[in-house]
Amino acid sequence: MVSRYYSVDEAIENGAAPVPISCDKTGDVQCTIDIMDHLLACEATWHKGHSLAQTVFSCIYLLRPERTSSHALLHSYSRIIRATCKAVVSVVSDARTHEEEDLFTMAYGLPLIGEDEKCLSMLNAVEETIARQLRACKAPSSGRKVIEDLEPLQNNLALEEGYCKAILCRLRFRKHFYHVLMCLKRPQGRGLQLARKHISSCLSELEIIRKSTEVLRSNDYGTHNCGEDKTTASGRRPVGFDASINTRLSAPTPPRSIKILSWSEAVEYFVKLLHDLDIICSFSLDASLEGILQFMVQFQKSHPDLVSRAHLQTLLIQDGKLYGRDPIFAVIAKAAGLPEIVRNHDIQNGECLVHLGQLVINLLKILSTNAAWQRRKLGKIVQDWRVIHIQLELALRQEMGEESGISADQNGRGDILRQILIWVEEQTFWIASRFLMLGFELELYSPGEYCMVYWYIYVVLIKLAERMHHKMSFTNATAKLKGKKKKGSTKDMSRDFQIPASVLFLQSYICLAEGLTMMLAALKNERMLSQSPSPFNSDHERFIQHFELLQKAGVPDHISYQSFEESTKNARFSTLVMYNYFKDAQRIAKEVKNSFPNDPERQSELRRIEQVAEHNSIALTVLCRLGSLDSSLKVSFDFSHHPYFATAVVKRS
Amino acid sequence: METATSDAEEEKKATFEASEIEYASYGGEHHLPLIMGLVDHELSEPYSIFTYRYFVYLWPQLSFLAFHKGKCVGTVVCKMGEHRSTYRGYIAMLVVIKPYRGKGIATELVSRSIRVMKESGCEEVTLEAEVTNKGALALYGRLGFIRAKRLFRYYLNGVDAFRLKLLFPQRELHPSLVMMAHNDASQRHASNRPLEEFPEQQERDCSSMGESVSNK
């Protein structure tokens, strides 16, 4: 990328960023709007993974803020842009979610430091003036008296209303967006409700901004860029930008020219960003840890960008507490089903539990990262959770040794450790299941590997369901014991034998995973899957590589490639016909739907499971009936009904 | 590693028999301009001569060229070394000119390098490829590579990359596999003939010098 100018000063001397932008007031206003629009496009491009230096600060007016002091509109807009960028850099830096996008927070040499507190008042003053100009230009038609001492925004009275509105919506969008960022910064989520109101205002202003293109394009002034990649609503190239001006401040690698998002793409980006922020703001601050984890998994499905993920993380973790409010031990104790009285127990000061608290915080941070980074980190922390499990076991043995001879005390240290231990086991398997399933979302598995992956998911989910059921049974038993002391009631006995709905939910997954494993194994054993052997290695090496981190951590124990081979080597359609796993998955999904009446996400998920189960059941029936008898049958797998449970497609070639 | 992709083009395909392609190991400075010419032509951003020399001077035995009637039509450039207590091979650049694609030349070039890596004691082989490069992913998938990681926005154009890895069988752990490997070898083509394969789409793998950029 060759710089046109040696320095910003040289660019200014050559008239690259004149102030005023045009001697003609109408032209000046048009150009100012173009600058605002291009800055929006630059800002969205920055958010999408480029540096500030090559995007927002390619604007020469922003690089020399003192130059625009005579131009109130441009000056106030520049200041709010700088304040906004500073706020976003701050939250991403604090959250440290910038993962691979390490260009995002690079701001050295850029004039980001400024008097933020004045920027809003300046913007409000300019907004007020333009609002009065709008009222003034509408006054003759409404029969009101014109305010004589107020100059119009620009000289062409026919364009006055359109341009006033175009500028007002842009100023208001910036103002509300800045307020959103400030509200989200407030500790303990205190600003979330107000943030939602500002988000709603932002979205309204963006809609008005979109509609302003009609007015802005209808007036021919300056050179047009009529292509789809235009970065302004008017289609004109903006004045005062030079992408090469900051080559010395650009990324460490030789700076390359980047593509700025088009203006319409930028507007879409901000609409999505605002919707993602709104989802964050509307999530309850009283959710359980399990609820939070589920929310984070669900939130990630919409592929939120770095800025919204950073805000989610800083909201969840503040000063080492959940929402800056709930001590982590209390959160863990609640998640483990321990009574409230235990949440202030001094056991929390033990090294093990302090470490466990750090692991939980780390887990929440990892779940805020992008999917690729998240999967790598989840794979690595499985070992850490396994280690803490061993440490807790040792601590429990020590406690039990000390407590022997003492009658069972429900709030004793041993009981607390035991219950936390069960919860830690469950979380370890949950992390392992997320690690495996994210592999599908990231397209890390080739079709030839699906069988081993579903098999591994199956064994992990079985352990997860066991631990979840164990935890719930333990908690119920403890509560029942207390209840018995009080009431002596046996009314709840029948519930002891009912499987909890969340465990049944997992059971539907287990049936799907097992069904897919066996169907894929049968296809391979009956040579219906076209798969040439690799000249350099075998399935064994691929198994080792895919599951290395889980195997190292012993999650689960005693699982190996040999176990996988043993489980699948005899799969045939003649045996599968006797038991249709998919029918079971379908039945369970149907039954358990009523258990989640107020959970639309679970309802949707169960519908998807039913669809996958139904389609696979039909495919399996066809294969069992015709299978290897019909060599024209070809089987492929797609993810049309579910992101990680494949659907078999049987066709004749 | 940088990989370029493009849609199927209306390029005139060269007609040739597989046996007409001659493969040569990097033989010295006279081969360097051929390699550079191929890679520079196919790559949007040419590497400096120092990049090429880094690879071919230190690991000449890992670079191969493919010739058709004296014309260089493809090349592969690699390296190997210790990486976090693992002895690992790395495929840095792989180019076959457009008229010669889809005929197994790239597979043969890569396979020769991988065999040398294996014989040299490498435990695994790795490279990066764009997630959109279906041809490269299919090629390496057939050779036994898995997609070990996805690297978010690895390339400056915003495209993600897969870190592909091939793990060689560990002899001391799997004696039965050693027997299987011997049985398989007797059924493979002779080393100077191309391996049988499916028609390839366009593929091109090029990389930066070091792996440290990708190891985050």
Side-chain angles (χ1 to χ4, degrees):
Chain A
M1 188 167 67
V2 178
S3 303
R4 197 172 155 199
Y5 298 109
Y6 180 73
S7 66
V8 178
D9 295 321
E10 187 195 341
I12 291 168
E13 278 166 25
N14 277 275
V19 180
I21 307 164
S22 170
C23 300
D24 170 47
K25 277 180 85 174
T26 305
D28 190 85
V29 165
Q30 286 168 333
C31 289
T32 306
I33 295 172
D34 292 339
I35 289 170
M36 291 176 175
D37 289 347
H38 191 81
L39 277 171
L40 188 79
C42 286
E43 195 178 352
T45 308
W46 167 51
H47 283 202
K48 295 291 262 182
H50 292 282
S51 65
L52 266 176
Q54 267 192 294
T55 55
V56 178
F57 282 89
S58 64
C59 177
I60 298 169
Y61 294 109
L62 283 181
L63 289 171
R64 291 287 187 271
E66 65 284 352
R67 291 184 66 241
T68 55
S69 51
S70 59
H71 195 304
L73 180 55
L74 191 55
H75 191 66
S76 60
Y77 199 82
S78 300
R79 290 189 71 160
I80 195 80
I81 289 282
R82 280 208 315 277
T84 303
C85 290
K86 189 177 158 193
V88 172
V89 167
S90 169
V91 73
V92 171
S93 297
D94 288 347
R96 294 172 64 88
T97 48
H98 48 282
E99 313 127 9
E100 290 92 333
E101 303 127 326
D102 55 3
L103 300 176
F104 191 93
T105 51
M106 277 169 42
Y108 37 78
L110 299 176
L112 265 186
I113 302 166
E115 295 159 349
D116 297 343
E117 55 278 0
K118 286 187 186 172
C119 67
L120 268 181
S121 56
M122 206 176 284
L123 198 76
N124 286 335
V126 171
E127 182 193 347
E128 176 58 32
T129 304
I130 297 179
R132 286 170 59 203
Q133 285 165 332
L134 176 62
R135 282 195 297 273
C137 77
K138 284 161 112 176
S141 58
S142 62
R144 289 188 202 153
K145 191 182 170 185
V146 173
I147 303 166
E148 290 172 5
D149 62 348
L150 183 67
E151 272 189 35
L153 176 66
Q154 44 81 54
N155 297 329
N156 188 334
L157 289 179
L159 301 174
E160 181 77 354
E161 184 178 342
Y163 279 143
C164 285
K165 283 180 177 172
I167 289 181
L168 277 175
C169 58
R170 283 158 172 79
L171 293 179
R172 285 166 180 165
F173 167 75
R174 290 257 64 110
K175 178 177 70 173
H176 286 297
F177 188 62
Y178 184 74
H179 277 305
V180 169
L181 299 175
M182 293 302 108
C183 288
L184 287 171
K185 256 176 91 167
R186 289 173 65 182
Q188 300 184 13
R190 290 195 189 117
L192 296 186
Q193 290 310 307
L194 188 54
R196 291 196 76 192
K197 289 181 181 157
H198 285 295
I199 288 168
S200 176
S201 300
C202 277
L203 289 166
S204 304
E205 299 302 335
L206 276 175
E207 199 44 45
I208 303 173
I209 288 172
R210 267 199 178 124
K211 287 177 184 161
S212 70
T213 50
E214 291 169 28
V215 169
L216 297 172
R217 276 186 206 164
S218 63
N219 305 297
D220 201 335
Y221 185 93
T223 52
H224 274 256
N225 175 8
C226 297
E228 286 299 318
D229 56 347
K230 53 187 178 290
T231 58
T232 60
S234 65
R236 285 184 293 265
R237 284 195 199 95
V239 171
F241 288 83
D242 188 325
S244 64
I245 205 85
N246 287 319
T247 47
R248 287 183 197 82
L249 300 176
S250 293
T253 52
R256 307 162 191 230
S257 54
I258 62 171
K259 191 173 179 307
I260 300 288
L261 289 182
S262 71
W263 182 77
S264 53
E265 285 170 337
V267 171
E268 274 169 32
Y269 168 79
F270 275 98
V271 167
K272 182 170 186 307
L273 171 63
L274 289 161
H275 280 303
D276 288 339
L277 290 174
D278 194 53
I279 292 170
I280 294 170
C281 293
S282 49
F283 184 62
S284 165
L285 292 174
D286 291 319
S288 64
L289 180 60
E290 186 188 344
I292 292 171
L293 295 178
Q294 274 174 19
F295 167 75
M296 295 179 87
V297 167
Q298 190 58 36
F299 180 63
Q300 288 275 20
K301 286 180 183 173
S302 65
H303 306 293
D305 259 339
L306 175 61
V307 174
S308 47
R309 287 188 277 109
H311 278 99
L312 174 60
Q313 194 200 296
T314 50
L315 171 66
L316 287 173
I317 311 292
Q318 297 169 30
D319 301 324
K321 294 181 186 176
L322 188 67
Y323 297 122
R325 178 192 69 198
D326 304 332
I328 291 295
F329 178 75
V331 170
I332 292 170
K334 186 179 173 187
L338 286 163
E340 201 164 330
I341 196 169
V342 165
R343 293 170 203 174
N344 291 320
H345 200 289
D346 64 356
I347 198 173
Q348 65 184 287
N349 299 320
E351 195 182 328
C352 262
L353 290 168
V354 167
H355 188 200
L356 179 61
Q358 287 165 354
L359 286 183
V360 170
I361 290 175
N362 194 33
L363 176 61
L364 290 172
K365 288 183 178 180
I366 287 170
L367 292 174
S368 307
T369 59
N370 70 66
W373 185 272
Q374 188 183 139
R375 187 182 189 265
R376 295 204 293 281
K377 295 301 172 192
L378 287 176
K380 290 193 175 159
I381 66 168
V382 169
Q383 177 78 6
D384 297 337
W385 280 77
R386 196 66 178 156
V387 166
I388 202 76
H389 176 262
I390 293 168
Q391 288 174 346
L392 283 168
E393 260 184 338
L394 290 170
L396 176 62
R397 273 189 219 147
Q398 208 174 359
E399 287 295 333
M400 294 315 290
E402 287 168 7
E403 279 187 3
S404 61
I406 302 170
S407 61
D409 172 3
Q410 296 306 315
N411 293 336
R413 296 169 70 93
D415 287 326
I416 295 171
L417 284 173
R418 192 178 293 113
Q419 212 151 324
I420 291 178
L421 189 61
I422 295 169
W423 177 79
V424 165
E425 280 185 321
E426 183 197 345
Q427 288 312 300
T428 308
F429 287 113
W430 184 85
I431 292 167
S433 69
R434 285 302 305 154
F435 170 79
L436 291 167
M437 288 170 184
L438 273 173
F440 282 107
E441 291 185 29
L442 297 168
E443 299 177 285
L444 293 180
Y445 309 128
S446 60
E449 293 157 0
Y450 288 169
C451 186
M452 64 173 76
V453 174
Y454 284 123
W455 180 82
Y456 218 107
I457 288 176
Y458 161 71
V459 297
V460 165
L461 287 178
I462 281 187
K463 296 288 186 187
L464 176 59
E466 278 173 10
R467 297 305 184 273
M468 190 186 284
H469 198 184
H470 189 192
K471 179 192 79 178
M472 289 173 165
S473 305
F474 197 89
T475 309
N476 288 341
T478 310
K480 221 164 59 68
L481 205 58
K482 280 190 173 172
K484 259 191 174 174
K485 282 181 182 172
K486 285 180 188 173
K487 294 176 191 175
S489 164
T490 56
K491 206 163 42 170
D492 294 331
M493 286 295 284
S494 62
R495 289 197 196 148
D496 290 352
F497 303 105
Q498 282 185 0
I499 301 174
S502 47
V503 175
L504 281 175
F505 183 87
L506 273 182
Q507 189 60 46
S508 67
Y509 277 10
I510 291 168
C511 290
L512 272 187
E514 191 175 12
L516 281 163
T517 303
M518 300 316 284
M519 181 157 67
L520 285 156
L523 284 166
K524 184 185 169 191
N525 293 339
E526 309 233 22
R527 302 189 190 282
M528 289 183 69
L529 278 181
S530 55
Q531 222 174 310
S532 307
S534 149
F536 294 110
N537 64 7
S538 67
D539 266 359
H540 192 163
E541 281 71 45
R542 290 189 277 281
F543 183 96
I544 291 170
Q545 285 188 275
H546 272 305
F547 309 120
E548 183 186 358
L549 292 169
L550 300 183
Q551 293 268 281
K552 262 189 199 164
V555 176
D557 276 329
H558 313 303
I559 291 296
S560 65
Y561 178 71
Q562 282 71 30
S563 328
F564 163 66
E565 267 196 318
E566 280 301 312
S567 303
T568 56
K569 68 181 181 186
N570 295 321
R572 294 282 187 280
F573 289 120
S574 53
T575 48
L576 287 186
V577 74
M578 289 187 283
Y579 179 64
N580 191 325
Y581 303 91
F582 300 116
K583 281 203 174 351
D584 257 3
Q586 217 175 344
R587 176 185 56 78
I588 296 170
K590 263 198 184 97
E591 279 173 14
V592 88
K593 247 194 224 170
N594 295 332
S595 306
F596 302 105
N598 301 317
D599 192 339
E601 296 302 340
R602 290 255 202 174
Q603 296 273 346
S604 301
E605 178 66 4
L606 286 165
R607 272 193 296 275
R608 283 191 287 269
I609 289 171
E610 275 188 88
Q611 283 183 318
V612 173
E614 187 181 347
H615 282 86
N616 283 333
S617 180
I618 293 169
L620 184 62
T621 306
V622 169
L623 289 168
C624 289
R625 214 174 283 162
L626 301 172
S628 49
L629 298 174
D630 188 342
S631 59
S632 68
L633 282 184
K634 296 293 171 213
V635 187
S636 60
F637 290 85
D638 65 32
F639 296 90
S640 48
H641 298 291
H642 197 280
Y644 41 89
F645 287 118
T647 306
V649 179
V650 183
K651 283 182 182 169
R652 277 215 165 77
S653 59
Chain B
M1 161 172 285
E2 191 181 338
T3 313
T5 58
S6 67
D7 300 327
E9 291 149 313
E10 298 293 326
E11 288 277 349
K12 196 178 169 187
K13 286 287 182 188
T15 47
F16 59 94
E17 297 295 324
S19 56
E20 291 174 25
I21 304 296
E22 291 171 349
Y23 296 90
S25 184
Y26 177 79
E29 193 75 10
H30 62 286
H31 277 159
L32 189 53
L34 299 176
I35 292 173
M36 288 175 59
L38 277 182
V39 175
D40 289 356
H41 184 260
E42 298 296 326
L43 191 62
S44 56
E45 293 152 23
Y47 294 121
S48 75
I49 192 166
F50 304 108
T51 304
Y52 295 103
R53 286 213 170 113
Y54 167 73
F55 288 103
V56 301
Y57 281 14
L58 292 174
W59 300 281
Q61 74 278 29
L62 294 181
S63 293
F64 291 88
L65 296 89
F67 293 91
H68 181 232
K69 295 181 179 168
K71 175 185 174 185
C72 185
V73 300
T75 186
V76 65
V77 175
C78 309
K79 71 174 208 175
M80 62 185 172
E82 198 78 21
H83 177 85
R84 291 180 187 172
S85 72
T86 304
Y87 199 61
R88 168 200 272 194
Y90 182 74
I91 301 173
M93 305 174 201
L94 173 66
V95 181
V96 172
I97 60 173
K98 290 186 185 70
Y100 287 82
R101 290 179 187 167
K103 299 295 181 189
I105 295 173
T107 299
E108 180 60 24
L109 286 167
V110 167
S111 298
R112 285 174 183 248
S113 294
I114 292 174
R115 270 182 238 130
V116 175
M117 290 172 186
K118 189 176 177 185
E119 286 155 15
S120 305
C122 285
E123 295 161 66
E124 61 183 24
V125 182
T126 184
L127 69 133
E128 293 90 31
E130 287 178 348
V131 299
T132 50
N133 194 340
K134 302 292 181 201
L137 297 174
L139 185 162
Y140 291 108
R142 286 191 295 272
L143 294 177
F145 284 79
I146 68 155
R147 300 169 194 181
K149 293 179 189 174
R150 186 159 179 149
L151 305 169
F152 189 59
R153 290 184 189 157
Y154 184 70
Y155 299 102
L156 279 173
N157 61 2
V159 177
D160 293 358
F162 287 125
R163 171 81 42 74
L164 304 179
K165 271 195 189 174
L166 172 83
L167 179 70
F168 291 124
Q170 304 296 302
R171 286 188 184 205
E172 59 272 20
L173 292 174
H174 313 297
S176 58
L177 280 173
V178 173
M179 282 182 60
M180 280 169 62
H182 283 312
N183 289 340
D184 284 345
S186 67
Q187 292 166 20
R188 280 184 211 146
H189 296 284
S191 62
N192 63 348
R193 283 164 54 197
L195 294 172
E196 184 180 1
E197 65 170 311
F198 301 100
E200 294 164 14
Q201 292 176 12
Q202 178 184 356
E203 69 230 354
R204 182 184 67 159
D205 303 326
C206 299
S207 79
S208 56
M209 271 172 60
E211 294 168 77
S212 57
V213 171
S214 58
N215 288 338
K216 290 195 178 182

